[in-house]
Every structure is written in structure tokens, then in C-alpha cells.
Amino acid sequence: MNRSILLKERPAGKPVLDNFELRQEEIPTINEGEILLKTLYVSVDPYLRGRMRDEKSYIDPFKLNEPLESGVIAEVTESRNPNFRKGDYVSGMLQWKEYQVTNGNGLNKVNKEQAPLTAHLGILGLTGITAYLGLEKIGNLKPGETLLVSGAAGAVGSVVGQIGKIKGCRVVGIAGTDEKISWTIEKLNFDDGINYRTSENLRKSIANACPNGVDVYFDNVGGEVLDAALANINKFGRIINCGAISLYNETEIPVGPRPEGILIKKSALMQGFIVRDYVKEFGPAINQLSKWFQEDKLKYSETLIEGFENIPQAFLDLFEGKNQGKMVVKV
Amino acid sequence: MNRSILLKERPAGKPVLDNFELRQEEIPTINEGEILLKTLYVSVDPYLRGRMRDEKSYIDPFKLNEPLESGVIAEVTESRNPNFRKGDYVSGMLQWKEYQVTNGNGLNKVNKEQAPLTAHLGILGLTGITAYLGLEKIGNLKPGETLLVSGAAGAVGSVVGQIGKIKGCRVVGIAGTDEKISWTIEKLNFDDGINYRTSENLRKSIANACPNGVDVYFDNVGGEVLDAALANINKFGRIINCGAISLYNETEIPVGPRPEGILIKKSALMQGFIVRDYVKEFGPAINQLSKWFQEDKLKYSETLIEGFENIPQAFLDLFEGKNQGKMVVKV
């Protein structure tokens, strides 16, 4: 038998397990030109929350009573497509199903010898590419500058900070536990870190950790952490608005201090970044990330959850900050 | 006798006449290398409010009990400097004094034949340059795009919209009276306009006036007008944060809807713009503005207040929107 996970109802505020449904179905059969895929690893990511809303955005919303989808690593178990052979490993945007049929469009073959399979969901996948292109397209890092990153121990943030170090910057991370901060400093070579949950005054904590101010802030969380970063931004500072996980479960647009005064005063920039806008540059980005990875300049961590049926719980855990590095479900 | 206007005390919130003091003093005499200037026209501008605060910013704060300064057109009445002759007209950042002595550094000679003298405070001066370089450096207007501008009948906004028309854009202005809107449409060739004081729902009014959304928003006011513009921003939209007159008299940072969600969703950009960052490009900017002006592609209006002693009142009137085009005091 086959299993799939469907969106039963759209979450109101914070998602809960009841929003999802596990369905049993037949394992499908393939026609000429198609392949049968067995799902091995499933990526869960904060941005998926946005697709659960019924509103127009940069990517179509999930449909009710249909399987969700995200980045997946799968194995080809049958092929009637000359481009794929049984035993190939592929990555791509695929449905939350144990087995599924596709014509192979949009899939990339992955080489098991080059890096662990799950690296293609994280550091060599969409999250690594997001970190790299966000910094390239908006950050414009210069050696000696100070880079601040939130969600520092997360899938994107942990790569952002390491690229900052490669570029010769002072890197300060913001995360929600002391363990995460220690990991970014001891294993990833960040210069300093701030636990936003225990900081009494985040604005001052950032000022202390960034004595020369903040030149580039890579924001994965939004909200009050962004406010505190903006209060420390330097002249000509750049803020990459890559994520706003602190706001994803809000039902109305939350209010906060208006940014326009400080943006003007500092000639600073805030720019939204969506990696899908730069699909044509994914190839060069993966090449650069792979090179750094093989040179041992990029390390990664992942939080591996076992069991297909646990995909929804793994997704919910993202909003509790339970992951260190990429959150991946092993099927 | 000579008169000067000093900052007697820093305004708390909205400035009042009592914050200023008129002082009588001797007309100064000049030494070798110096010139004596007689002030003819004084520019008053919203950004001066920021310099009245005792805080670090992109330009030093005014000192208490010393004369304020702004853009001024003056006539050389005596010269012991070989670069200037009696009868020359100059523009520059000068003190609020009827007569003053300088060594001529930072002054530009202006040609009375080329354009009316006050044009060098407005359309061919810092406000025209602000409009031009703000659009050049951040706006990146493309023909057929929609340009929205607030403070549309103000010194900067009225030039912004006209440049938008020159560039082949749909231009929509936001201002505070129907007379101002009519002026921008009938005299400046704007496509449409919105009176923000009488609009019942500014967000919807913008949506109606910009059926293809807003590609570039040139913001001179900040606050709720900015919120409404941001709610209508297009994918890859650009917001030029040039001014925030609605916030200048606030004593604490006001709150409003957080922008990061929409910035991400639309891959949009908000960037603070300070014209002084681009001093090296003032020359080419003035050349382009002069060319358009001589080709009759740029029109301007000014609100002329008479009397040196009325400079403070003219400044206060800016916050009531009493000016159409550049606010200038004729001494």
C-alpha cells in the first residue's frame, strides 16, 4: 500500500496536526515515459505555511484534500523513461507520498558519492541556494563588514553565516537556545551569538555583539528581532528580508515600529528575497556551494525525524525552533 | 542693521514660533579672501525638522542659540575674493541672516538669464536633484510602469511626477487638497490623483487609480500613506523612502503594519534616499534638469512668502501642507 498526506483544512493561526490527513491508496503504475519514485527524504520548511493560506502569492496555494509538496529526495524504482534508470536518486519538488509517478520534468539527479543524499535538500539544495543568492543579490558583502543573521542555527541561517566568514566578515548569529548559539560559534566559526529568548534587551545585545554596527542583516524571522536589527543598522546597510517565521501564523498583519525614519536616516535598504526569482542562477550557485563543501569550508547539521507519518509534526516543530540546521523527515 | 534667526529651543513635537528667535546685530565686514552676501531668497524644507533634534543623523544637528541654515540665493555686495564679483548671484547652504560673510567655499554662481533665481532653490536646486537622483538611483523607472508619488504637489513630488511622464510612465499623485491634485493633472500632466484627506479608503483609492498596481512609489510622507502604497506594490516594486513628513514631529517612533511580509511576497524593496550621498552626481543631474526645463518639459510652482522675519512661519506652514511646489521666503 501507498500513503499520502493531504491538507484537510487551512490552519487558522498556528497549524495543528488536525489540519493534515494521512490517506492510504494503491501504489500507482507507470505508463510509457514515466517513472515510479520511492520517497526517501522529505524537506519541511517554514515557507510552506504561506502555501497553506488561500491567497495569491509568489507560489500557488496548496489545494484542500490534495497532497502537499516540498523538496524531496527519491529513488527511481521503475522507469519507462530513457532519462532515468532504476536505482537513480533524484531531487525535486514532489508530493508527500511514499510512492508517486512523474514524467521526470523538473527533477535533478543527485550523486550519492559527492555528498550525503540529504545535503541536496539543505546545503546543496534550495536552502543553501537561498543563503548564497540572497547574499549575492542583495547583501553585497564586503570584507570587514559585520553580518548579522537570525535563525542562525536554521537551514538557511547556518549557511548564511558560514558564507559571511568565507567573505571575511564579522558574523553574529541570533537563535533561540544557548546550544544553537554554541554550535554556530564552535562548529561554524561564527564570531558571536545572541539568544533572543534570554536577551533582556535585544537591541543592546546586538549593539554589544556588533561594536561597528550592522552592515548586512539577513532576516529569517521578522518581527521584533528585525526591529532590533534595524535599530543597529549602519549607513548604507542592507536588510535581506528572506523569511518572517515569527509572523507566518499571524491572522492579521502585526504592527511594529515604522521603519521609514531609520531607512532614510541611514540610506538603508530592506528588500524581499524569494529564491525562485533566480532559477536561472541555481546552477552556478550549486557549483559554488559544492566547491566550498568539498573544500570543507561549509558544514551542516540536520535534524532528522523518522517516519513518513511524522512529516506534519516535523513541520509544526519548525515554529517551536526544535530544529538545528535543516529539518528533514526520513521515510 | 543685520538680522538673523536662531534656534532658541528644540521643538518638542510640532515646532512653534517660540522655538525661534530673531536677533539684531551689526552687518559684518570682510577680510581678504572673503565676500559679503545679501540674502535674497531662503528655502524652507521639511528635512530641517530633523536637524532641530539633538541626535546623530546624516547631517549635524543645529546648535542652540545659533543661526539656522538652509538653501539660500544671495547677491554678492562686496568682494575681496578673486572668484566673485560684486553683483554675482550665488546659491548654497547659508545661514538665516540678512547679511553674512563667507570665503565662498561651497557656493555656486547662478545665471539669472538661464532661469528665475528661485528655480535654483527648487527645480534646478536640491529639490529637483532629489527627485531626479532618487528616481535614477532607486526607482529605475521603465516605460509603461506605474509611478505613484506622495507630496505630489510639493517641491520634490511635483518634479518626480513630471520625470515619470518624461520616462513614459503612468503617474499618479497623492496630495492633501483637490486644488493641488488639479494642478498636478492639468499643469503637470499627471494621469490621476488622490486627495488623501478626503479618500475614505486610501488603499482602495490607489488600487483604482493604479489598475496595473504600483511599480515605483516615491514616498515623501511616510506613515499611513506609505502603508496604503505598500499594500498595492507590484512584484519587484521599488519604494524610494525620500521623506516622512507625517512622522517628523512625532516624539516616539510610531507603529504601523509590519512591512516585511509584503516585501517578501512581492520581492519588493524599500530604500532610504538622502540626496547628499550623491554630491558627485549633482552636476550631471542639474544639466539634465536644466535641459528638460529649457525644453519646457518641466514646470514648477512656488509658494513665495515675503519678509525675512517670516522664515519660521513659512517652515511651520510646510507641516500644514500650505505650499504648492517649493516654499520660498523672499527677503
Side-chain angles (χ1 to χ4, degrees):
Chain A
M1 287 301 286
N2 194 13
R3 292 189 293 176
S4 66
I5 293 170
L6 294 76
L7 185 64
K8 193 167 72 180
E9 56 189 10
R10 302 196 183 278
K14 193 180 258 196
V16 294
L17 285 179
D18 275 351
N19 301 142
F20 303 92
E21 185 180 343
L22 189 72
R23 189 172 63 185
Q24 303 262 354
E25 54 192 27
E26 298 286 315
I27 295 178
T29 53
I30 60 174
N31 294 315
E32 190 57 36
E34 293 181 334
I35 55 179
L36 180 65
L37 294 174
K38 181 185 180 188
T39 297
L40 303 179
Y41 297 98
V42 175
S43 170
V44 291
D45 307 273
Y47 82 88
L48 297 170
R49 176 65 183 86
R51 293 193 67 186
M52 295 175 190
R53 290 180 203 274
D54 187 20
E55 59 183 42
K56 213 179 138 188
S57 185
Y58 59 93
I59 181 165
D60 285 340
F62 291 122
K63 291 189 180 131
L64 285 179
N65 299 310
E66 294 199 8
L68 296 100
E69 64 172 28
S70 65
V72 162
I73 303 288
E75 183 181 353
V76 177
T77 54
E78 286 180 44
S79 177
R80 294 178 65 185
N81 178 320
N83 298 323
F84 297 89
R85 287 192 302 187
K86 187 177 171 182
D88 281 350
Y89 295 101
V90 297
S91 73
M93 289 297 293
L94 289 166
Q95 292 186 317
W96 290 2
K97 290 183 169 183
E98 287 178 298
Y99 291 90
Q100 61 197 290
V101 169
T102 89
N103 59 13
N105 281 352
L107 296 182
N108 296 305
K109 287 194 211 181
V110 297
N111 180 347
K112 208 180 176 177
E113 314 304 320
Q114 193 186 17
L117 283 176
T118 55
H120 299 281
L121 292 179
I123 201 153
L124 303 180
L126 219 49
T127 54
I129 298 170
T130 299
Y132 178 77
L133 289 179
L135 288 174
E136 286 289 307
K137 295 294 164 188
I138 304 174
N140 189 23
L141 285 177
K142 298 177 196 74
E145 287 192 326
T146 296
L147 168 65
L148 180 70
V149 54
S150 59
V156 173
S158 59
V159 184
V160 166
Q162 292 181 83
I163 295 174
K165 291 309 300 175
I166 292 170
K167 301 262 182 184
C169 295
R170 176 174 177 81
V171 174
V172 176
I174 301 174
T177 70
D178 290 348
E179 292 66 34
K180 288 179 177 181
I181 296 294
S182 300
W183 176 65
T184 60
I185 294 174
E186 287 160 22
K187 303 293 182 191
L188 306 185
N189 201 26
F190 285 26
D191 295 285
D192 205 349
I194 298 162
N195 182 337
Y196 74 88
R197 290 186 206 260
T198 57
S199 164
E200 284 177 15
N201 182 327
L202 190 55
R203 180 180 169 156
K204 282 189 189 164
S205 299
I206 294 172
N208 290 338
C210 305
N212 297 320
V214 175
D215 297 298
V216 175
Y217 172 52
F218 197 111
D219 188 29
N220 292 304
V221 305
E224 292 177 7
V225 178
L226 171 58
D227 299 340
L230 188 60
N232 284 285
I233 199 78
N234 280 342
K235 179 81 180 168
F236 299 120
R238 294 135 262 155
I239 294 177
I240 302 148
N241 293 106
C242 180
I245 192 170
S246 73
L247 310 183
Y248 288 169
N249 293 328
E250 301 280 351
T251 48
E252 296 190 2
I253 297 178
V255 298
R258 292 186 175 280
E260 55 266 36
I262 198 157
L263 290 177
I264 296 174
K265 203 162 149 179
K266 299 292 186 177
S267 303
L269 171 157
M270 291 174 70
Q271 188 170 352
F273 179 76
I274 296 172
V275 72
R276 277 156 225 276
D277 293 340
Y278 301 94
V279 168
K280 287 179 185 162
E281 302 182 46
F282 282 12
I286 293 171
N287 289 344
Q288 180 62 76
L289 290 162
S290 300
K291 186 165 175 287
W292 283 332
F293 182 68
Q294 275 147 23
E295 293 168 356
D296 207 27
K297 289 181 180 164
L298 286 182
K299 296 178 174 58
Y300 72 96
S301 173
E302 60 192 11
T303 300
L304 209 63
I305 306 291
E306 303 233 351
F308 178 82
E309 67 282 5
N310 291 323
I311 298 174
Q313 184 61 53
F315 172 70
L316 303 189
D317 285 351
L318 289 172
F319 297 95
E320 310 298 329
K322 292 196 179 166
N323 57 309
Q324 180 171 299
K326 188 80 193 76
M327 181 76 103
V328 174
V329 178
K330 182 176 181 185
V331 175
Chain B
M1 287 300 286
N2 194 13
R3 290 189 295 176
S4 65
I5 292 169
L6 294 75
L7 185 64
K8 193 168 74 181
E9 57 189 9
R10 301 194 183 280
K14 193 180 257 195
V16 294
L17 286 180
D18 276 351
N19 301 142
F20 304 91
E21 185 180 342
L22 189 73
R23 189 171 64 185
Q24 302 262 354
E25 56 192 27
E26 297 286 315
I27 294 179
T29 54
I30 60 174
N31 294 316
E32 190 57 38
E34 294 181 334
I35 55 178
L36 181 64
L37 295 174
K38 180 184 179 187
T39 297
L40 302 180
Y41 297 98
V42 175
S43 170
V44 292
D45 307 273
Y47 81 88
L48 297 170
R49 176 65 183 84
R51 292 193 68 186
M52 295 175 190
R53 291 181 203 272
D54 188 19
E55 61 182 43
K56 214 177 136 188
S57 185
Y58 61 92
I59 182 166
D60 286 340
F62 291 124
K63 291 187 180 134
L64 285 179
N65 299 311
E66 295 199 9
L68 296 101
E69 64 172 28
S70 65
V72 162
I73 302 289
E75 182 180 353
V76 178
T77 55
E78 286 179 45
S79 176
R80 294 178 65 184
N81 178 318
N83 298 323
F84 296 90
R85 288 191 302 187
K86 187 177 171 182
D88 280 351
Y89 294 101
V90 297
S91 72
M93 289 296 293
L94 289 165
Q95 292 186 319
W96 290 2
K97 290 183 169 183
E98 287 178 298
Y99 290 90
Q100 60 197 291
V101 169
T102 89
N103 60 13
N105 280 352
L107 296 182
N108 296 304
K109 287 192 210 184
V110 297
N111 180 347
K112 210 179 175 178
E113 315 305 319
Q114 192 187 18
L117 283 175
T118 53
H120 298 281
L121 293 178
I123 200 154
L124 303 180
L126 219 49
T127 52
I129 298 170
T130 298
Y132 178 77
L133 289 178
L135 288 174
E136 285 290 307
K137 294 294 164 188
I138 303 175
N140 189 25
L141 284 177
K142 297 177 196 75
E145 286 192 327
T146 296
L147 168 66
L148 179 71
V149 55
S150 59
V156 173
S158 58
V159 184
V160 166
Q162 292 180 83
I163 294 175
K165 291 309 299 175
I166 292 171
K167 300 264 181 183
C169 295
R170 175 174 176 82
V171 173
V172 176
I174 301 173
T177 70
D178 289 348
E179 292 68 32
K180 289 179 177 181
I181 296 295
S182 299
W183 175 65
T184 60
I185 294 174
E186 287 160 23
K187 302 292 182 192
L188 307 184
N189 202 26
F190 286 24
D191 295 285
D192 204 349
I194 299 161
N195 182 338
Y196 74 88
R197 291 187 205 261
T198 57
S199 164
E200 283 176 16
N201 182 327
L202 191 54
R203 180 179 170 157
K204 281 190 189 163
S205 298
I206 294 172
N208 289 339
C210 304
N212 297 319
V214 174
D215 297 298
V216 176
Y217 172 51
F218 197 110
D219 187 29
N220 292 304
V221 305
E224 292 177 6
V225 178
L226 172 57
D227 300 340
L230 188 60
N232 284 285
I233 200 76
N234 280 342
K235 179 83 179 168
F236 300 119
R238 294 134 262 157
I239 295 177
I240 302 148
N241 294 106
C242 180
I245 193 170
S246 72
L247 310 184
Y248 289 169
N249 294 328
E250 301 280 350
T251 48
E252 296 190 3
I253 298 178
V255 299
R258 294 186 174 280
E260 56 266 36
I262 197 156
L263 289 178
I264 295 174
K265 203 162 148 178
K266 298 293 187 175
S267 303
L269 169 158
M270 290 173 71
Q271 187 170 354
F273 178 76
I274 296 173
V275 71
R276 279 157 225 276
D277 294 339
Y278 301 94
V279 168
K280 287 179 186 163
E281 303 182 47
F282 282 12
I286 293 171
N287 288 345
Q288 180 62 76
L289 290 162
S290 300
K291 186 164 174 286
W292 283 332
F293 182 68
Q294 276 148 22
E295 292 168 356
D296 208 26
K297 288 181 181 164
L298 287 182
K299 295 178 176 60
Y300 72 96
S301 173
E302 60 193 12
T303 300
L304 209 63
I305 307 291
E306 302 234 351
F308 179 81
E309 66 283 3
N310 291 323
I311 298 174
Q313 185 61 54
F315 172 69
L316 302 189
D317 285 352
L318 289 171
F319 297 94
E320 310 299 329
K322 293 194 179 168
N323 57 309
Q324 180 171 298
K326 187 80 194 77
M327 180 77 103
V328 174
V329 177
K330 182 177 183 186
V331 174

